[in-house]
Amino acid sequence: QKEVEQNSGPLSVPEGAIASLNCTYSDRGSQSFFWYRQYSGKSPELIMSIYSNGDKEDGRFTAQLNKASQYVSLLIRDSQPSDSATYLCAVNTDYKLSFGAGTTVTVRA
Amino acid sequence: DTEVTQTPKHLVMGMTNKKSLKCEQHMGHRAMYWYKQKAKKPPELMFVYSYEKLSINESVPSRFSPECPNSSLLNLHLHALQPEDSALYLCASSLGTDGEQYFGPGTRLTVT
């Protein structure tokens, strides 16, 4: 079983819609959770971090964490063409960051 | 400022060469990392330094040798690499080893 799994995508959404990304993790001891955005040919850019159960909102992004279900999600509201990228879920367990395979999102103008 | 810098941006080396990748941060972070990323794959952790000491080595071959000269600098020394080592090498730093990691732009390495 992979440590971090993401819905594989690709995900195509129209401009202005909500993009929903999901991630599950295998280790119940994991304590910190992150979403990174990576444009083609660039390095990962941190967009959200979440440490406790519930929702965390930052602009058009909302991260949700449910430790009981070992589930993390990211919602992108009012999607823009500039949101087209690969989104990586990352989970920190025992001071090591493990990444999911990534979900490629395309926002159609 | 959340900037991590890496040099060089691109590197082409032969299998018998010795080269070094450099990484620098001035955010006062005490943890620094090396990752390797192949095309269309997520980053894979190679090494973790915490307070300038190597704390995690993810069974990386000895042809990769990390060094942390001080709290702001991280090097990765390369020797006798193989073509399959061609990848994007990413440096990251964080305040502590369980916190937010910020990535540099990466060095794109090609081994011929």
Side-chain angles (χ1 to χ4, degrees):
Chain A
Q1 182 188 5
K2 291 184 182 176
E3 293 179 28
V4 182
E5 298 209 40
Q6 292 185 239
N7 47 336
S8 57
L11 181 63
S12 179
V13 299
E15 185 173 356
I18 294 174
S20 177
L21 307 172
N22 301 317
C23 173
T24 57
Y25 60 95
S26 60
D27 193 322
R28 285 197 173 274
S30 301
Q31 290 296 322
S32 46
F33 308 86
F34 309 93
W35 284 97
Y36 286 85
R37 176 175 63 197
Q38 187 170 25
Y39 293 113
S40 180
K42 301 295 187 183
S43 63
E45 175 192 8
L46 180 68
I47 54 172
M48 289 291 283
S49 59
I50 188 164
Y51 299 89
S52 54
N53 282 331
D55 295 358
K56 179 181 178 182
E57 187 174 316
D58 184 359
R60 295 185 296 110
F61 298 102
T62 299
Q64 298 174 315
L65 173 62
N66 184 324
K67 288 187 178 179
S69 301
Q70 295 174 242
Y71 174 87
V72 191
S73 67
L74 179 72
L75 296 177
I76 307 173
R77 289 184 303 281
D78 188 23
S79 296
Q80 302 296 309
S82 58
D83 295 326
S84 297
T86 296
Y87 289 81
L88 297 161
C89 174
V91 176
N92 192 308
T93 308
D94 295 332
Y95 311 123
K96 295 195 291 187
L97 199 61
S98 298
F99 288 85
T103 300
T104 298
V105 174
T106 301
V107 180
R108 309 187 303 271
Chain B
D1 184 15
T2 55
E3 188 178 28
V4 177
T5 59
Q6 289 186 246
T7 55
K9 284 187 170 52
H10 300 275
L11 179 62
V12 179
M13 61 185 290
M15 289 189 283
T16 58
N17 291 158
K18 285 185 182 182
K19 296 285 185 184
S20 296
L21 309 185
K22 296 186 184 305
C23 174
E24 190 166 4
Q25 58 87 14
H26 293 289
M27 297 178 278
H29 289 175
R30 304 317 300 248
M32 296 185 76
Y33 312 81
W34 282 114
Y35 289 85
K36 172 182 176 180
Q37 187 175 25
K38 302 281 272 184
K40 299 195 185 303
K41 298 289 187 184
E44 293 178 11
L45 182 65
M46 299 175 72
F47 302 104
V48 180
Y49 273 84
S50 178
Y51 289 89
E52 301 163 46
K53 289 188 176 4
L54 182 65
S55 61
I56 295 176
N57 175 341
E58 289 288 271
S59 303
V60 178
S62 61
R63 57 185 184 268
F64 295 92
S65 174
E67 178 196 19
C68 189
N70 61 54
S71 60
S72 300
L73 291 173
L74 188 65
N75 298 323
L76 186 63
H77 303 298
L78 314 172
H79 173 55
L81 294 192
Q82 304 297 307
E84 59 265 28
D85 296 323
S86 299
L88 180 67
Y89 287 84
L90 295 161
C91 174
S93 72
S94 62
L95 194 60
T97 48
D98 60 350
E100 300 170 344
Q101 292 187 22
Y102 295 92
F103 284 83
T107 293
R108 191 160 299 280
L109 173 68
T110 303
V111 182
T112 61

